[in-house]
Amino acid sequence: MAIAELVMPKLGESIMEATILKWHKKVGDHVKLDETVLDIATDKVDSEVPSTVEGTITEILYNVNDVVPIGTVIVRVETAAQASAPTPAPVAAAPVIEAPAVPVAVAPTPIIETPAPAPAPVPVTPPPVVEVPYTPSAPMVELMAKPASNRFYSPLVLNIANSEGISLSELERIPGTGNDGRVSKKDILQYVADKKAGRVPTYQPAPVYAAAPQYITPVAPVAQQAAPQPATQPTASPVAPEQAPTVPVTAPAAVLEPMAVATPVAAPATAPTPAVEQPQPIAPVYQEPIVPVVPAPQPAAPQPTYQAAATPTYQPAPEPVMKSASRFPEQNAAAYSAPMPPSPQAIFAQPSGKYSDPSMVKVSGETEIIEMDRMRKLIAKHMVDSKHTSPHVTSFAEADVTNMVLWRTKVKNEFEQREGTKLTFTPMFVECIANVIKRFPYINCSLDGDKIILKKDINIGMATALPTGNLIVPVIKGADQMNIVGLSKAVNGLADAARNAKLKPEDTTGGTFTLTNVGTFGSLMGTPIISQPQVAILAVGAIKKRPMVLEGPDGDTIAIRHMMYLSLSYDHRIVDGSIGASFLTEVAKEFEKWNINKQWFHYL
């Protein structure tokens, strides 16, 4: 037996530790090669740790929520490589010894006949016994009744789902065994195997709409119950005797029946108990508004009078506004005693739920407590540590980006058709920043105690907002080595991967400078926090049109220009105000010097 050690893998250059989220295996379980053993999380991304060997887990050294340094042994696995080698040796030796016994060719003939009947019944019984427990192991897989929205999926799970043709809606219904119901690699592989075996039922939302016809069926019994009532209608309605013979002839008699039943005295005398019980819940509804307003005209006319019968329910509401309230005070006091306010302004203001009297406001004092998710906790800790580590200083500048706006408007359609990717302002900003960083090396560095580490590579991170509301910073590696086409592909690719949870650990590491676009959400400027261990971060605000004074050979003129504010936060331990302000001014000038006739396809 050999003991293999599984260590915490290195997920990035600046990542020195990881948190254990969940163990998929326990002591004594058998693990296969590349099978997921546990889930870990860093301040960048979550990932699954597969096994590097095949064997049995003998020891687990850490628990859930433990923070483990990179390279530390976390699991010990006992491999069966040596145990499997001696087993075939005696098996292979046994037939070799029996083979030389063949030279005795005369004696074996009677010996073979005697053991023949004994082994014959023995091998017949095992095959059905082995097949019986294997066949019932095909239960139908139970999917989740409702899709699990806002659930995190690791890049490995999404890649498996894409390769197997599993849609996102189907993926949301797979029950997960990971942390907070997250779908792990084992869950998606088991689901794929069940789906290929035909054990996954297809989700059909049709049963939800099957109940719709139930709302139509109650209409038929109402019409049927109203049909026998015309016999009692002429006897119970002495108000309009001429209309009694017309009711049983025409079809609207069933519709006008509730109005005639308004007199509850004649109903129990002429009709049996089932006929009286059916119109009783309907009669109180129409009795009060119909009898005092228009009792006779409604059965006289067919459908137009039935539409007018529904209007009396809306007529009592505006009556307090009319002047008849002063002419009939007794009737108004009896019909509308207190619930309706007399003021027309109060009547129209009441449905909005707003009060004009401050004394009517009621404060509930209710609160809601929401716990931070894991990523938000890591972001909060990272920001607080950055403030405690670096003394932040922020400088501001203003840039005229009219040439950038006009150039992008002119070429963006052709750019997208030719290159297959959209042209945004972010790659244009990155190109200008990378050019200025070459002239200010202290902006592109980090500190290690009292040592300054100057970075030769220019890796610019861009802050990206996630659909969950959290923030992540993918890094554009070698930004100074790409033109506007390469930067556009890199920016759009990283942004799409971030929003679809497909970022790899190496996509968020190695940054030397960060750009954040606060103008995406309409903000004019901001004071960003440095992403450690970097020493500076640049924020660009929203682009606004403003009248500006332009200096020319013939004097000053006023023109409408596209203006934008820039803000640079830098670590005052290494970047002084002169370096920080000078760098920010040069970036603003680089934006303003953008060539409006720039050729972006010169590489062809």
Side-chain angles (χ1 to χ4, degrees):
M1 296 292 179
I3 301 297
E5 295 180 345
L6 180 63
V7 300
M8 181 65 70
K10 185 175 179 61
L11 301 178
E13 179 183 358
S14 60
I15 299 177
M16 304 307 298
E17 60 186 14
T19 304
I20 297 177
L21 293 180
K22 180 182 179 181
W23 286 99
H24 294 276
K25 299 292 182 179
K26 59 181 181 295
V27 176
D29 290 350
H30 182 77
V31 61
K32 298 180 181 180
L33 183 64
D34 294 334
E35 186 179 1
T36 301
V37 179
L38 71 160
D39 295 342
I40 61 174
T42 66
D43 58 347
K44 304 295 183 181
V45 292
D46 298 348
S47 60
E48 300 174 349
V49 178
S51 176
T52 57
V53 294
E54 181 178 357
T56 303
I57 296 179
T58 59
E59 188 177 3
I60 295 178
L61 303 179
Y62 293 92
N63 299 322
V64 177
N65 296 327
D66 288 349
V67 180
V68 183
I70 301 300
T72 306
V73 178
I74 53 178
V75 178
R76 289 190 174 93
V77 182
E78 183 179 3
T79 60
Q82 297 180 359
S84 59
T87 50
V91 175
V96 174
I97 297 172
E98 294 176 357
V102 178
V104 186
V106 181
T109 52
I111 297 172
I112 297 173
E113 294 176 357
T114 54
V122 176
V124 174
T125 52
V129 176
V130 176
E131 294 177 358
V132 170
Y134 180 77
T135 51
S137 62
M140 294 299 292
V141 178
E142 295 184 0
L143 299 180
M144 298 175 61
K146 295 183 179 180
S149 58
N150 296 331
R151 185 166 62 177
F152 174 79
Y153 301 100
S154 64
L156 179 60
V157 172
L158 293 176
N159 291 335
I160 295 175
N162 293 333
S163 61
E164 297 295 338
I166 299 176
S167 62
L168 182 59
S169 59
E170 185 178 2
L171 185 62
E172 291 177 348
R173 295 187 177 273
I174 299 177
T177 59
N179 188 23
D180 296 334
R182 187 161 61 94
V183 178
S184 62
K185 175 185 175 182
K186 180 180 67 177
D187 299 332
I188 187 68
L189 292 179
Q190 183 65 32
Y191 179 79
V192 171
D194 294 338
K195 186 176 182 180
K196 293 181 179 179
R199 296 192 294 267
V200 177
T202 57
Y203 176 74
Q204 297 179 355
V208 178
Y209 301 94
Q214 296 179 0
Y215 296 95
I216 305 175
T217 53
V219 180
V222 172
Q224 294 175 2
Q225 294 172 6
Q229 295 298 331
T232 62
Q233 184 172 357
T235 59
S237 59
V239 180
E242 298 179 357
Q243 298 169 1
T246 60
V247 174
V249 178
T250 59
V255 181
L256 302 175
E257 176 197 358
M259 306 173 193
V261 186
T263 58
V265 179
T270 57
T273 53
V276 176
E277 292 177 355
Q278 293 175 357
Q280 278 181 359
I282 304 175
V285 180
Y286 296 94
Q287 181 177 0
E288 295 180 0
I290 296 175
V291 173
V293 183
V294 273
Q298 291 185 1
Q303 295 181 355
T305 57
Y306 178 76
Q307 295 179 357
T311 55
T313 57
Y314 299 95
Q315 290 178 1
E319 281 184 7
V321 186
M322 300 173 59
K323 295 182 179 180
S324 60
S326 60
R327 292 181 293 175
F328 305 99
E330 298 179 356
Q331 296 179 0
N332 292 326
Y336 311 103
S337 56
M340 297 299 295
S343 174
Q345 292 80 3
I347 294 176
F348 292 107
Q350 187 176 1
S352 64
K354 305 294 182 180
Y355 301 104
S356 59
D357 187 0
S359 62
M360 300 178 65
V361 176
K362 298 179 181 179
V363 181
S364 62
E366 297 179 356
T367 59
E368 182 180 2
I369 300 176
I370 301 176
E371 186 178 358
M372 289 185 180
D373 56 6
R374 189 194 58 81
M375 179 173 285
R376 177 52 54 186
K377 291 179 181 178
L378 293 174
I379 293 175
K381 182 178 181 301
H382 192 62
M383 296 295 102
V384 172
D385 293 344
S386 179
K387 278 289 190 178
H388 289 171
T389 302
S390 302
H392 283 57
V393 177
T394 305
S395 298
F396 299 91
E398 189 177 20
D400 185 350
V401 294
T402 304
N403 291 346
M404 283 186 166
V405 174
L406 296 179
W407 181 80
R408 176 181 174 274
T409 304
K410 181 175 63 175
V411 305
K412 66 178 181 179
N413 294 332
E414 184 181 359
F415 187 94
E416 184 176 359
Q417 294 178 0
R418 184 188 292 264
E419 304 299 338
T421 185
K422 293 184 178 181
L423 177 62
T424 62
F425 286 104
T426 301
M428 303 168 64
F429 297 154
V430 171
E431 181 178 0
C432 296
I433 293 171
N435 294 334
V436 180
I437 286 179
K438 295 179 180 179
R439 304 195 294 266
F440 294 86
Y442 280 88
I443 296 294
N444 197 61
C445 70
S446 62
L447 288 178
D448 185 10
D450 56 354
K451 297 179 181 179
I452 301 174
I453 303 175
L454 296 177
K455 304 294 183 64
K456 301 301 181 181
D457 296 327
I458 300 178
N459 303 330
I460 299 179
M462 59 174 188
T464 305
L466 299 178
T468 58
N470 294 322
L471 186 70
I472 198 168
V473 184
V475 179
I476 305 171
K477 305 293 180 62
D480 59 326
Q481 303 176 22
M482 289 183 284
N483 57 11
I484 191 66
V485 177
L487 291 173
S488 298
K489 294 180 179 179
V491 168
N492 295 335
L494 291 174
D496 294 340
R499 297 186 183 99
N500 298 323
K502 294 183 179 180
L503 283 177
K504 301 177 181 179
E506 57 269 17
D507 293 336
T508 58
T509 59
T512 60
F513 186 87
T514 301
L515 168 68
T516 176
N517 190 349
V518 298
T520 304
F521 307 100
S523 180
L524 293 178
M525 63 181 67
T527 56
I529 300 177
I530 302 171
S531 178
Q532 299 295 327
Q534 302 172 18
V535 297
I537 179 173
L538 177 67
V540 293
I543 300 176
K544 299 291 184 179
K545 290 183 179 181
R546 291 201 302 271
M548 300 299 296
V549 177
L550 302 181
E551 298 180 357
D554 298 334
D556 297 340
T557 57
I558 298 178
I560 304 298
R561 309 293 292 177
H562 296 269
M563 305 301 296
M564 182 179 65
Y565 290 109
L566 309 176
S567 57
L568 179 71
S569 296
Y570 45 91
D571 190 347
H572 210 317
R573 295 178 301 171
I574 184 62
V575 181
D576 295 330
S578 59
I579 298 177
S582 300
F583 172 80
L584 183 61
T585 303
E586 289 298 321
V587 171
K589 292 181 179 179
E590 195 76 14
F591 287 176
E592 295 175 350
K593 293 188 302 183
W594 186 271
N595 186 7
I596 196 172
N597 298 319
K598 182 182 180 66
Q599 298 295 329
W600 50 271
F601 51 86
H602 57 82
Y603 59 90
L604 296 177

